[in-house]
Amino acid sequence: MDPVDALLEIASLLERERASRYRAKAFRQAAQTLQDLPDDVQTDPTRLRAAKGIGESTFAVIRQAQSGQVPDYLVELRGDVEPERKSELRAKLRGDLHAHTDWSDGTTSIPVMAAAARAQGHEYQAITDHSPRLRVARGLSAERLREQMPLVRAESGEGFTLLAGIEVDILEDGALDQEDALLAELDIVVASVHSKLRMDRRPMTARMIKAVSHPRVNVLGHCTGRLVQGDRGTRPQSEFDAAAVFAACAENGVAVEINSRPERQDPPDELIAIALEAGCLFSIDSDAHAPGQLSLLDHGAERAERAGVPASRIVTTWGLERLLSWAE
């Protein structure tokens, strides 16, 4: 087995199961280090082990792969990590409108995320790093976002389009955490609440309605902010008038995100039903913070299918031309 392929597959599996981001990153770094080493160093165990970026675990994987074996650790992960779930709806998804890079709190570069999206078979992928208010996630200032946009769009080509976007914070008064003129230059705007999640029901409702009524917002991200499992612990969902918020989404053509991360399962099933009744569009998104997490779309597709969401109302089943026309 090619050792670089083995290292990258291990990284992707660790990312899919949301293991330690540092562990997954170490395997990606080792793959890059190995590719950059001269051939004679790659085959010299002493110099290979001494190379910066090659640790004990990654060295063992490389040596087993070089000997023609499937590395033990890869065999273990293939057995432990839940494989992607195939479904009719998952096969219809043509892209993903919510993903992060190392420009904010993602783990890898724009080109690496683009390559992973291509490998998933996506027609398009939006890069939506955080906005400046979210300092803990290294949110992008207006200047950094302007710098990022051409780098994102430069990754498009050969039947694949990388869309320039943002996950913009919905501030306490419902305003958006970025300049309106800059939002207008982006392909996709996902608006999400990240602060004051326990705000009282009435002001939270007003906050969200104001945000989705903004002419540049395309997607309402992980609307309740809840966490139901995982290393971050659990968090109750925000309280708001779902019927009123989803009516505003429907009126403004804003898609309600079905967030595919298993630790979120957001919106809850009962809110998906309310959004369906309101006539909303939906966007099944990975909210990936690493390449291996792009495959989490299968979880979102499964939930949408179970909830009876028609594929025609899921914007991420649309082709690029129709998607961009809707997002204008």
Side-chain angles (χ1 to χ4, degrees):
M1 183 175 192
D2 181 81
V4 171
D5 290 344
L7 292 165
L8 292 177
E9 184 178 347
I10 288 170
S12 291
L13 289 169
L14 289 170
E15 290 160 355
R16 179 171 167 83
E17 71 169 355
R18 283 92 61 214
S20 163
R21 60 188 289 156
Y22 303 106
R23 187 161 184 77
K25 196 170 183 177
F27 280 90
R28 287 198 178 274
Q29 178 58 57
Q32 186 61 59
T33 297
L34 185 62
Q35 285 181 307
D36 294 342
L37 288 173
D39 290 346
D40 61 326
V41 176
Q42 291 186 27
T43 55
D44 182 333
T46 302
R47 289 191 291 167
L48 176 62
R49 180 63 185 87
K52 185 178 181 180
I54 304 294
E56 182 178 346
S57 297
T58 56
F59 176 73
V61 166
I62 293 168
R63 291 300 292 161
Q64 283 189 303
Q66 287 176 333
S67 70
Q69 302 176 58
V70 177
D72 293 340
Y73 189 37
L74 179 53
V75 171
E76 177 186 337
L77 287 175
R78 284 176 175 174
D80 289 347
V81 178
E82 180 185 52
E84 292 183 47
R85 307 176 186 189
K86 307 300 181 183
S87 68
E88 184 177 339
L89 180 55
R90 173 65 186 93
K92 293 179 179 179
L93 296 181
R94 300 172 73 169
D96 180 354
L97 302 185
H98 187 171
H100 301 271
T101 73
D102 59 7
W103 281 65
S104 65
D105 61 345
T107 63
T108 60
S109 67
I110 294 167
V112 170
M113 287 299 284
R118 286 176 185 269
Q120 282 286 314
H122 290 358
E123 181 180 338
Y124 50 83
Q125 173 70 55
I127 296 300
T128 53
D129 282 314
H130 290 287
S131 61
R133 170 78 173 269
L134 210 61
R135 294 179 183 175
V136 68
R138 297 180 62 243
L140 274 62
S141 65
E143 291 74 21
R144 290 182 68 213
L145 182 55
R146 287 192 178 93
E147 182 184 352
Q148 185 194 63
M149 288 164 58
L151 301 178
V152 169
R153 291 178 171 137
E155 294 297 324
S156 299
E158 299 179 355
F160 172 78
T161 300
L162 198 63
L163 301 170
I166 188 172
E167 185 183 14
V168 65
D169 230 26
I170 300 174
L171 303 179
E172 292 172 40
D173 63 354
L176 302 181
D177 184 33
Q178 193 48 271
E179 300 172 5
D180 280 359
L182 185 50
L183 294 177
E185 295 180 36
L186 295 167
D187 302 309
I188 292 294
V189 175
V190 177
S192 305
V193 173
H194 289 103
S195 62
K196 302 288 185 180
L197 294 172
R198 305 308 298 150
M199 180 181 281
D200 288 344
R201 176 184 174 90
R202 183 175 295 177
M204 179 64 88
T205 300
R207 175 186 188 182
M208 295 174 75
I209 289 175
K210 181 177 177 180
V212 300
S213 299
H214 190 288
R216 292 311 310 162
V217 171
N218 305 121
V219 179
L220 174 62
H222 48 67
C223 63
T224 77
R226 73 176 188 169
L227 294 173
V228 297
Q229 60 180 247
D231 293 342
R232 295 166 64 187
T234 60
R235 182 168 64 208
Q237 63 193 59
S238 297
E239 297 294 329
F240 56 89
D241 184 335
V245 170
F246 295 150
C249 287
E251 180 180 350
N252 291 280
V254 171
V256 174
E257 177 180 76
I258 297 178
N259 190 286
S260 297
R261 298 186 71 92
E263 65 267 32
R264 287 191 179 275
Q265 299 178 35
D266 200 359
D269 291 349
E270 62 270 22
L271 264 62
I272 294 178
I274 294 172
L276 267 173
E277 180 67 23
C280 290
L281 296 170
F282 296 86
S283 181
I284 298 176
D285 297 324
S286 67
D287 193 0
H289 287 65
Q293 293 172 4
L294 291 171
S295 69
L296 293 174
L297 286 179
D298 60 344
H299 289 277
E302 184 177 66
R303 293 193 65 230
E305 207 163 34
R306 188 172 64 241
V309 181
S312 60
R313 283 169 60 177
I314 300 170
V315 300
T316 43
T317 67
W318 298 353
L320 179 65
E321 185 175 349
R322 182 182 179 189
L323 181 89
L324 291 178
S325 178
W326 160 76
E328 285 182 354

